[in-house]
Amino acid sequence: MNNNMENLFGMRENLCRNCYIVGPTGPTGPEAVSTFGSRYDTTENTIALTANTRSTIPLTAIGPATNITTETENALTIPEDGTYKIDYFFQGSTSAEGNLTLEVISNATRIAGSTVTKDVSANEDETLVGSIITVLNQGDVITLGIESSVTATVAPTSGTGAYLNIIKL
């Protein structure tokens, strides 16, 4: 059957269904660079917290990483300027009732918008989790900080008690 037929007005109609026009291939785009890194902790070692003083969460295990440096203890080091997505998590119990705060730290400074605070009861497991998209610079050293409104110890839960994952967008 012919793909073109004349309608009542003598004009030809295209009856082609699922037809594609193939043109020249466009230019090759830039090569994608995979940049990501992960650190986590499964040790269940308690962390001593002084009231209103930030402590670094131990992240003793290294997860998958490409182009992000994992050599600094408890940290991930950023290889180049760019926009990054950071996912972070802490689960554990404190020895005293109060507020527990988790935040992402870049070069000893809190990353704006990364603060997660929760009222906690003594000796009950609590979960603090966050995700943020932010601009980071080459050489930034990223860690997880934890702080309590009262002097206490915090014990991570069994299994993975904390993690820090970074992906360049």
Side-chain angles (χ1 to χ4, degrees), residues 7 17 19 45 58 65 111 121 129-130 153:
N7 66 15
R17 303 267 191 262
C19 297
N45 293 331
I111 293 177
S121 299
V129 63
T153 57

Side-chain angles (χ1 to χ4, degrees), residues 25-92:
T25 301
T28 301
E31 188 174 320
V33 176
S34 296
T35 301
F36 57 87
S38 177
R39 288 195 77 116
Y40 61 97
D41 191 64
T42 60
T43 64
E44 298 181 48
N45 293 331
T46 59
I47 305 166
L49 301 175
T50 301
N52 303 310
T53 303
R54 182 182 336 141
S55 294
T56 299
I57 295 175
L59 299 170
T60 58
I62 299 170
T66 297
N67 297 325
I68 288 184
T69 305
T70 59
E71 295 168 2
T72 302
E73 185 177 42
N74 304 317
L76 295 170
T77 303
I78 302 305
E80 60 186 351
D81 297 354
T83 302
Y84 291 81
K85 181 178 186 229
I86 304 172
D87 297 316
Y88 48 105
F89 166 88
F90 178 82
Q91 187 172 40

Side-chain angles (χ1 to χ4, degrees), residues 120-153:
V120 297
S121 299
N123 304 312
E124 291 186 22
D125 282 345
E126 300 288 348
T127 301
L128 291 91
V129 63
S131 183
I132 188 167
I133 294 175
T134 189
V135 174
L136 299 174
N137 299 308
Q138 179 182 10
D140 284 350
V141 177
I142 310 300
T143 59
L144 277 182
I146 192 164
E147 184 176 319
S148 175
S149 61
V150 298
T151 297
T153 57

